[in-house]
Amino acid sequence: MSRRGDRWISRRDLLKAAGLVVLAGAALGGGAFALGRWEDSRYRNDSAGSYPTGDHRTEAELKEITYQGRTYRQKGSVESYLFLGIDEMGPAVGTQSYIAGGQADAQMLLVLDDAAKTWQILQINRDSMVQVPVISMMGTVPYTIRQQIALAHAYGNGREQSCENNVKAVSMMLDDQPIDGYFSLNMGASGSWWT
């Protein structure tokens, strides 16, 4: 324990703070890595004269919305990747339970626009109240429930199943926008999953 003024800071709080710093660094490093790979692939594709995208929808499937009298059409050349910070210490070994995956306290969506050659990060508040898919003991999703988006990762095996459930919740929150992949990291930075 360390002393700051007249207030003691517990070892647990120090470990949490250190874990969050490591998680933020890992998320930024993972984002930089993904961005580097994306830029490398764009460079290779530019020289070949083609611009592939992770979005395989046809023009007819792209959505349109009208806001304040103006109509906006969804871009088809956008890829997105979800970065998850899980509030579990130790390696990501998973569990046999269907509700012990840990909460995703940090969620960031990296959005890459292939046509404009730009990127943005959407920080998702862990307390956002959204429809979350509930995974049953059989591994199916019989229903959704309105709750904090951080709990989407809690359903599932703590590994791929939990991550994919979290991806589905974020996609549903964004009007079923496709998410091309994810990267998750435990708070202790000793276990991760990605696709």
Side-chain angles (χ1 to χ4, degrees):
M1 292 217 256
S2 65
R3 186 177 175 125
R4 184 177 176 210
D6 292 323
R7 201 171 130 218
W8 287 91
I9 299 173
S10 70
R11 173 179 267 169
R12 183 176 182 196
D13 288 342
L14 285 173
L15 287 174
K16 281 184 182 179
L20 288 175
V21 168
V22 168
L23 176 64
L28 289 174
F33 175 75
L35 184 59
R37 286 190 55 185
W38 174 69
E39 287 177 344
D40 289 345
S41 71
R42 293 302 124 231
Y43 176 75
R44 284 191 302 271
N45 290 332
D46 284 349
S47 62
S50 63
Y51 298 93
T53 177
D55 192 346
H56 305 291
R57 294 172 293 178
T58 65
E59 282 294 314
E61 293 173 320
L62 296 176
K63 297 177 183 178
E64 287 186 359
I65 62 167
T66 301
Y67 178 72
Q68 295 183 346
R70 293 186 67 187
T71 300
Y72 300 89
R73 184 174 182 92
Q74 181 180 16
K75 289 184 173 185
S77 59
V78 175
E79 299 176 36
S80 59
Y81 299 92
L82 184 63
F83 291 85
L84 303 168
I86 313 305
D87 70 348
E88 293 284 330
M89 294 298 285
V93 294
T95 178
Q96 296 299 321
S97 175
Y98 63 100
I99 55 169
Q103 297 180 22
D105 285 342
Q107 299 187 34
M108 292 178 275
L109 188 67
L110 173 65
V111 181
L112 307 170
D113 185 336
D114 293 337
K117 305 251 185 275
T118 61
W119 60 276
Q120 297 285 325
I121 292 181
L122 173 64
Q123 172 67 42
I124 299 169
N125 187 325
R126 72 171 306 283
D127 295 322
S128 299
M129 297 299 287
V130 300
Q131 289 300 120
V132 171
V134 176
I135 297 177
S136 72
M137 286 189 280
M138 305 303 288
T140 62
V141 178
Y143 61 94
T144 63
I145 187 169
R146 186 172 174 80
Q147 60 185 348
Q148 293 170 314
I149 198 163
L151 298 173
H153 191 275
Y155 297 104
N157 62 5
R159 293 173 49 162
E160 297 92 345
Q161 190 180 41
S162 293
C163 291
E164 290 166 7
N165 198 56
N166 207 132
V167 166
K168 179 66 175 164
V170 171
S171 175
M172 289 168 45
M173 178 183 78
L174 299 173
D175 197 24
D176 294 323
Q177 296 301 309
I179 296 175
D180 298 288
Y182 61 84
F183 178 85
S184 74
L185 185 68
N186 281 3
M187 190 167 58
S190 58
S192 59
W193 290 100
W194 63 91
T195 66

